[in-house]
């Protein structure tokens, strides 16, 4: 049984604490929808360059045991990688057991996302915001920013098969909320944004391809 802890938002400077248990994995998979080991491995086989030490540290903290990466977003914009709100026992299959009501699923494939939605059932709101493109669409960024704005009442679990996808989406969400581009990208480097993804993001920003998101 894998256990999460529900972080409590305390006064500034006080660490986030935790306290919620997850249910067991459904028989169909060792980790239900929560972790796409095969899909992650297939995409990794493309031979990407080795991640930086910072990216490696983030990947270790945000890794989902079944494959992929996750962030937990809470009110006031607090964001933590998977490992920082988990107690490190086994694999989690039921995000609803964490106290989360919403999953922002950045899985590229609509078919895989549909399978996630089916496995989750009616226990959570599932929002597919993934794309096969290098960066999310303006519509996906706007939808993600709206979900984060709701996190005060409904903490959001953000899942992606690649760590850099999390960083890219977080950078765009910050920019959409008015953060300067340099500051947003600096923050996203600590949340999975690697050099290749950063280059693609800057190219789209400088060429005005994401202007509709801001």
């Amino acid at each position: 049984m894998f256990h999460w802890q529900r972080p409590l938002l305390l006064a500034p400077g006080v660490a986030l604490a935790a306290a919620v248990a997850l249910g067991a994995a459904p028989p169909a998979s060792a980790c239900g929808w929560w972790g796409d080991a095969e899909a992650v491995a297939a995409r990794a086989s493309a031979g990407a360059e080795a991640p930086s030490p910072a990216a490696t540290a983030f990947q270790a903290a945000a890794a989902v045991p079944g494959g992929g990466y996750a962030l937990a977003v809470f009110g006031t914009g607090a964001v933590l990688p998977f490992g920082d709100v988990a107690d490190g026992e086994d694999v989690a299959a039921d995000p609803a057991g964490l106290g989360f009501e919403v999953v922002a699923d950045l899985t590229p494939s609509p078919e895989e996302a549909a399978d996630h939605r089916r496995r989750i059932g009616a226990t959570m709101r599932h929002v597919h915001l993934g794309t096969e493109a290098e960066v999310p669409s303006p519509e996906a960024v706007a939808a993600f920013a709206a979900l984060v704005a709701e996190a005060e009442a409904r903490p959001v679990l953000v899942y992606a098969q690649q760590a850099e996808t999390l960083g890219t989406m977080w950078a765009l969400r910050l920019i959409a909320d008015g953060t300067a581009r340099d500051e947003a990208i600096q923050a996203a480097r600590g949340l999975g944004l690697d050099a290749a993804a950063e280059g693609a993001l800057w190219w789209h920003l400088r060429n005005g391809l994401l202007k509709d998101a801001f």
Side-chain angles (χ1 to χ4, degrees):
M1 178 73 64
F2 177 88
H3 298 283
W4 281 63
Q5 300 175 321
R6 181 187 303 181
L8 303 174
L9 295 177
L10 303 177
V14 180
L16 292 175
V20 178
L22 267 191
S29 169
C31 54
W33 76 272
W34 183 233
D36 293 323
E38 295 82 1
V40 171
R43 287 183 169 82
S45 66
E49 63 185 62
S52 67
T56 299
F58 172 78
Q59 290 174 10
V64 172
Y69 304 89
L71 295 174
V73 183
F74 308 97
T76 73
V79 57
L80 292 172
F82 176 93
D84 287 1
V85 292
D87 64 10
E89 292 190 6
D90 291 324
V91 176
D94 178 19
L98 314 177
F100 290 94
E101 298 179 20
V102 181
V103 173
D105 188 352
L106 308 187
T107 302
S109 165
E111 292 77 16
E112 291 171 12
D115 183 58
H116 295 173
R117 181 181 292 110
R118 178 182 63 80
R119 291 176 181 271
I120 291 170
T123 60
M124 299 182 70
R125 177 184 173 197
H126 176 276
V127 183
H128 181 222
L129 300 175
T131 175
E132 293 284 0
E134 284 186 304
V135 300
S137 67
E139 293 78 14
V141 174
F144 182 71
L147 287 179
V148 172
E150 297 175 7
E152 183 75 42
R154 300 179 183 84
V156 178
L157 194 65
V158 188
Y159 173 79
Q161 292 175 343
Q162 303 297 326
E164 59 268 25
T165 304
L166 296 173
T168 297
M169 183 64 92
W170 194 254
L172 289 171
R173 173 257 159 179
L174 290 175
I175 295 169
D177 283 354
T179 302
R181 292 179 178 184
D182 286 340
E183 293 179 22
I185 288 175
Q186 177 63 37
R189 288 177 188 144
L191 295 172
L193 188 70
D194 62 11
E198 181 177 337
L201 180 54
W202 273 120
W203 189 88
H204 281 76
L205 289 170
R206 288 168 176 159
N207 286 279
L209 300 182
L210 294 168
K211 61 184 179 182
D212 292 340
F214 314 126

